[in-house]
Amino acid sequence: MNFWRISASLLVFSCSVFCQQPTAASLVSALNGLSIDPNEVYHVRDLRLTRGGFTIYLTEGLLAFTKPVGSEVVAAAFTTSGVDAGDAEFIVTPPNRGERASLAYFTKTPNLDEHFSQAIFLFTDQLRMETLRHMQQTEVKKAAAEAFGPQWTQTIDQLAAGVEVPIVESMLNRDPPDQGVFYGLIGGNDLGPFQICFNPHQAESNIVGKVTMEGGIAAFQSWTSFLPKKAIAPPLSIFHTAAYQIEADISPDLTVSAVTRFIAKTARENCRAMALEIAPKMKVTGATINGQTVEVVQPQSSDDTGDTDGEKFLLVSAEPLPSGAPLQVEVHHQGSVIHDEGEGIYFVEARNIWFPRFSFDSATFDLTFHCPVRLRIVSSGKLISEKVDGSTRTVHRVLDSPVQFVGFNLGDFVGIEREQSPFRVEFYANRSIVDRINNANSISATHTGDFPAALTAMADRTLELLRNDAAEWGPPPTTNMAVTPIAGTFGQGFPGLIYLSINSYLPPLLRPPHIRDTLLNSFYSDLMLPHEIAHQWWGNLVMANDYRSGWLTEALANYAALGIYSERNGAAAGNKLLAFYRGEIETRMPNGKPVEAEGPLNVGVRLRALNANAWRVITYDKGTWVIRMLAQRLGGNDRFAAFERALIQTTKDEGLSNETFRKIAARFLPPGDPDPTLEYFFDSWVYGVGVPRLSLARSSAREYVLRQSGVGEDFSVDVPVRIERPGRPAAIQWVRSSNDGTPFTVSGTAQVSLPALSDFLYRSE
Ligand SMILES: [Zn+2]
């Protein structure tokens, strides 16, 4: 062995060990300046690419790769311009009926086969290797780059800016080529530009949709999203933590500056990038892992993004993070997420994403807040201490059972407490609201500041509702409950912290005149508090595993509130609410279709980007109806409560999905049910759309036909037809509906009728 050979091998050795790994900043900056490599333009013919449930067929055209980012090529452009008989196709066949229906809603076809002449791809997978291999096997030629002018560079840059976080994450975590990500912007011949995403690290790897601008706000309209058949869902997050510790300063101008600390672990080898999510309005200003400063990659976002969704960002270590070992993480973040609404009333935005977190992860929380002394601050968790030092108030709270959401609220609060083991209720109101109530009650000035009787009654009611719900469902995630007011028309129930619309605090006569009808009075006075308290179980103890089952936690909470409302005000009052929900469900949109036809329950928040009102009506109104029909199917509210207890036992650890819910519910069906797996029930009511129009016709002495119309061909539900015979209690005969009409026989003399309109979701006219 001569010296030269030794030194050469040493050189290779030293390079693989000591060569600097690319920084995230260098990758991001290279991604922001991609340009076509004139030596990497190919005339391709019959190149077929498959990505999960997608097939892309480049029949003939020019495929140009960009210059590398670090050592990797991550972008390509395709055009048929100047190519005789140039063509390409994008084909997607969603694996289930709901997703085919969703795709058809946007593209008029359930299985898309769109021809295109231009496309841009961003990827960390084998696209370039596939192309080069294909080039060797066929007569693919190199081509000139003239077809790709400067406007291509600009569009590539725009697309790259939108996906830099997942691209950089995939590069730094060294995804093998078959686990890389693939994003595309396709200029469809009929559909115009649309986006495709294949990311095998997401629960639903294949997504097709379009970025739309509604009122100046960019939103992604998802046409279809799915995990292909036979694909295995990846874990929800590569990293996990068991506990967050957050220290937040709220300055006099209401800016929140916080430090979040946690110990993270991963089972994966060779990861340099740790993905977390946070509200776009919270800027991550710095971070360390095990005391070492790490890079932060947070998407640049304008302030017009919605406040409800977290956005993914990365912490990037210079070296791979050790798998299995505890990693001490510290993240500094700052943002304006609190608005002053006047009169000592504030609005907290970004209520569950104001701190960095792993998505869908549960953990315990240790929370310390510093705020101006004039404000009170309340958060989830038991109060450990509250101190005033000069002009600063410091509040320390601990939530020691693992939860997904944690929030805080603040204001010029006055409050009272109620305690009955094991529960402790802290009930807060804005001082200005208390004064308004007292003034309206003509309490003399000397008494102003006394807690009004109506609010004291609400505090008592909170305790009573907690005790009743716990008797029905078992212990909630935390026994300390703070009820706090929020500006706006909604409520939200976090573990141990409820945000309740200010309208619920005010007696009806002090509410804005336009919300003073009977129904809205019930909504604010009777329904909101029980709904939010029920979320302690549905949403906090039992958490949805995905966006598709989010409706269940809302519908279960709302059904519980409806039950409490009916108990207090009578069944007729409850039925009136159900009738109101039915009316909203059936309201016609300008296109002549009912609101409900906008999409099935299980597409969840995807509906919100399309039509926020439809999302609300489908989630809350139709959701409550579906739960009501299920409760009756199981044999009434007692059996339904037994099912709910079983559901809690199974799902409080493993999480809730539509299919888990269906399978457990099916175990509680009475014997002889015509749909023992509840698959029919779910296919039409949860995975499908439609409210049927039903009618009964008598064809002979004992023969009847159940007719159905106004729904799609594949809509079919079991209808509880009422059979009344003289001197006997009314019986139910299940008849499965179809658009062809279902004949059925009734023995003996009987009166046969459709179910009551308050019992089943259908139209009778
Ligand atoms: Zn809710």
Side-chain angles (χ1 to χ4, degrees):
M1 196 187 288
N2 65 44
F3 177 73
W4 188 85
R5 280 178 63 193
I6 292 171
S7 66
S9 65
L10 264 178
L11 225 111
V12 172
F13 176 69
S14 64
C15 194
S16 64
V17 172
F18 299 109
C19 272
Q20 282 234 316
Q21 311 228 33
T23 61
S26 70
L27 297 181
V28 167
S29 131
L31 267 173
N32 287 332
L34 289 169
S35 60
I36 301 282
D37 184 343
N39 296 318
E40 284 257 68
V41 184
Y42 303 98
H43 188 131
V44 292
R45 206 170 279 145
D46 299 327
L47 174 57
R48 185 174 181 270
L49 311 167
T50 56
R51 297 291 183 273
F54 299 153
T55 302
I56 296 168
Y57 201 76
L58 304 180
T59 315
E60 187 160 1
L62 302 179
L63 185 62
F65 291 94
T66 57
K67 289 179 184 155
V69 167
S71 57
E72 288 174 58
V73 174
V74 298
F78 173 83
T79 182
T80 58
S81 166
V83 178
D84 288 341
D87 191 19
E89 276 171 86
F90 170 72
I91 299 162
V92 56
T93 312
N96 57 61
R97 186 156 71 85
E99 286 305 318
R100 284 193 291 275
S102 172
L103 188 60
Y105 180 95
F106 294 101
T107 67
K108 311 277 180 268
T109 170
N111 298 307
L112 187 62
D113 182 348
E114 175 80 357
H115 287 259
F116 63 91
S117 50
Q118 294 187 331
I120 288 167
F121 305 122
L122 266 291
F123 52 88
T124 59
D125 67 4
Q126 68 276 34
L127 177 62
R128 186 163 169 276
M129 271 149 53
E130 272 174 295
T131 308
L132 297 183
R133 218 179 300 130
H134 182 78
M135 197 179 78
Q136 287 169 350
Q137 288 160 4
T138 62
E139 34 174 322
V140 172
K141 301 184 289 280
K142 288 226 174 183
E146 273 83 66
F148 300 97
Q151 78 280 10
W152 281 90
T153 317
Q154 214 178 352
T155 316
I156 293 171
D157 271 356
Q158 280 168 4
L159 187 63
V163 298
E164 70 184 24
V165 171
I167 293 278
V168 168
E169 181 189 15
S170 179
M171 291 177 80
L172 293 172
N173 289 349
R174 296 182 173 274
D175 284 337
D178 64 334
Q179 287 290 299
V181 301
F182 182 92
Y183 292 85
L185 172 67
I186 291 179
N189 290 359
D190 294 326
L191 296 168
F194 61 94
Q195 277 90 1
I196 66 170
C197 155
F198 172 69
N199 184 339
H201 308 292
Q202 287 172 182
E204 295 183 353
S205 55
N206 289 68
I207 300 172
V208 183
K210 187 186 176 103
V211 175
T212 59
M213 290 298 284
E214 292 272 338
I217 294 173
F220 184 74
Q221 193 179 73
S222 169
W223 295 352
T224 184
S225 171
F226 59 86
L227 184 69
K229 276 207 173 100
K230 292 186 192 148
I232 296 159
L236 293 169
S237 178
I238 298 175
F239 291 87
H240 297 278
T241 188
Y244 291 97
Q245 193 207 340
I246 306 176
E247 183 153 11
D249 272 315
I250 295 162
S251 67
D253 74 354
L254 302 176
T255 304
V256 179
S257 310
V259 185
T260 298
R261 296 181 180 89
F262 54 92
I263 292 171
K265 274 190 184 178
T266 183
R268 224 179 113 170
E269 304 282 347
N270 278 324
C271 282
R272 284 181 59 202
M274 179 185 289
L276 292 137
E277 60 179 31
I278 198 165
K281 283 191 178 172
M282 269 286 177
K283 298 295 169 217
V284 177
T285 53
T288 59
I289 297 179
N290 290 343
Q292 302 286 316
T293 300
V294 294
E295 287 183 278
V296 175
V297 180
Q298 188 175 21
Q300 298 247 341
S301 61
S302 49
D303 282 340
D304 54 12
T305 43
D307 66 345
T308 47
D309 296 320
E311 223 170 26
K312 191 163 161 172
F313 73 97
L314 305 175
L315 302 184
V316 179
S317 155
E319 297 297 328
L321 296 164
S323 68
L327 305 164
Q328 302 261 6
V329 184
E330 184 173 305
V331 184
H332 295 247
H333 46 107
Q334 191 178 64
S336 299
V337 293
I338 303 169
H339 301 293
D340 189 342
E341 305 276 325
E343 294 185 79
I345 297 170
Y346 299 89
F347 183 80
V348 181
E349 266 189 86
R351 286 172 299 283
N352 56 345
I353 41 167
W354 56 282
F355 61 95
R357 45 175 284 189
F358 299 117
S359 45
F360 289 103
D361 215 18
S362 297
T364 61
F365 287 85
D366 184 300
L367 305 160
T368 304
F369 297 91
H370 309 285
C371 72
V373 70
R374 67 188 163 88
L375 296 173
R376 296 287 298 275
I377 189 151
V378 181
S379 75
S380 300
K382 273 200 178 78
L383 184 67
I384 303 298
S385 65
E386 176 157 355
K387 287 180 219 144
V388 171
D389 183 5
S391 60
T392 304
R393 183 190 301 274
T394 298
V395 176
H396 181 202
R397 287 187 181 246
V398 169
L399 186 59
D400 52 15
S401 50
V403 295
Q404 242 180 34
F405 303 115
V406 73
F408 68 89
N409 200 356
L410 78 172
D412 181 5
F413 288 160
V414 285
I416 55 169
E417 284 170 21
R418 288 289 180 270
E419 197 158 3
Q420 189 167 8
S421 182
F423 295 108
R424 182 164 170 276
V425 170
E426 305 170 47
F427 192 92
Y428 297 94
N430 305 96
R431 194 182 305 275
S432 60
I433 296 287
V434 166
D435 289 347
R436 270 166 73 184
I437 298 173
N438 285 342
N439 288 341
N441 292 343
S442 312
I443 288 189
S444 66
T446 50
H447 283 85
T448 302
D450 281 359
F451 216 66
L455 295 185
T456 305
M458 279 172 78
D460 293 335
R461 178 99 177 109
T462 304
L463 185 62
E464 182 196 344
L465 286 164
L466 272 174
R467 287 167 51 84
N468 289 351
D469 285 350
E472 183 107 337
W473 298 320
T478 168
T479 51
N480 194 87
M481 182 65 50
V483 180
T484 61
I486 188 157
T489 55
F490 65 98
Q492 200 163 22
F494 281 3
L497 175 69
I498 286 174
Y499 301 90
L500 202 61
S501 166
I502 279 181
N503 294 329
S504 291
Y505 279 77
L506 292 167
L509 279 174
L510 292 184
R511 291 176 196 160
H514 67 276
I515 59 162
R516 270 188 230 155
D517 66 47
T518 320
L519 265 159
L520 284 171
N521 281 347
S522 311
F523 175 69
Y524 289 115
S525 301
D526 303 320
L527 292 165
M528 194 179 275
L529 184 61
H531 176 111
E532 303 309 339
I533 289 174
H535 270 315
Q536 296 301 309
W537 287 264
W538 307 114
N540 294 330
L541 182 64
V542 169
M543 290 168 272
N545 266 344
D546 53 23
Y547 70 91
R548 292 180 182 276
S549 46
W551 74 274
L552 273 171
T553 60
E554 289 305 337
L556 287 164
N558 212 43
Y559 186 68
L562 176 71
I564 290 162
Y565 178 75
S566 302
E567 252 169 50
R568 286 189 127 194
N569 302 284
N575 288 346
K576 237 180 170 166
L577 269 178
L578 283 165
F580 173 75
Y581 292 159
R582 179 206 306 276
E584 287 210 307
I585 292 166
E586 291 180 353
T587 302
R588 301 277 143 172
M589 298 183 298
N591 66 8
K593 289 185 171 173
V595 170
E596 187 268 343
E598 288 285 78
L601 277 165
N602 88 318
V603 304
V605 288
R606 275 162 58 189
L607 281 167
R608 206 162 46 190
L610 171 68
N611 180 336
N613 183 55
W615 167 77
R616 179 188 64 79
V617 168
I618 291 163
T619 303
Y620 293 86
D621 299 356
K622 184 182 173 186
T624 304
W625 257 108
V626 169
I627 297 297
R628 173 174 171 83
M629 288 192 288
L630 180 70
Q632 287 179 308
R633 193 74 179 254
L634 300 188
N637 282 340
D638 287 345
R639 285 190 62 88
F640 185 71
F643 153 64
E644 286 184 312
R645 284 190 287 274
L647 186 66
I648 286 172
Q649 282 317 310
T650 310
T651 57
K652 70 179 182 193
D653 295 322
E654 70 180 51
L656 186 61
S657 72
N658 287 317
E659 283 298 282
T660 315
F661 183 87
R662 177 184 64 76
K663 286 173 191 159
I664 298 174
R667 297 209 313 252
F668 285 81
L669 282 169
D673 188 280
D675 180 17
T677 60
L678 284 171
E679 277 169 270
Y680 265 88
F681 185 92
F682 268 69
D683 269 354
S684 286
W685 293 124
V686 179
Y687 301 136
V689 297
V691 174
R693 183 181 289 126
L694 298 176
S695 63
L696 279 178
R698 194 170 185 171
S699 51
S700 71
R702 292 175 183 178
E703 301 277 325
Y704 293 79
V705 179
L706 174 68
R707 295 196 194 285
Q708 167 184 286
S709 61
V711 284
E713 270 303 308
D714 41 15
F715 189 96
S716 173
V717 286
D718 293 304
V719 179
V721 172
R722 280 170 67 88
I723 312 287
E724 289 164 284
R725 295 189 174 86
R728 280 203 259 167
I732 296 282
Q733 182 165 337
W734 293 101
V735 180
R736 185 160 291 174
S737 70
S738 78
N739 279 358
D740 299 333
T742 313
F744 62 98
T745 310
V746 175
S747 58
T749 314
Q751 182 154 4
V752 180
S753 57
L754 288 171
L757 273 170
S758 55
D759 285 347
F760 198 74
L761 185 57
Y762 72 106
R763 288 183 285 153
S764 64
E765 81 278 11

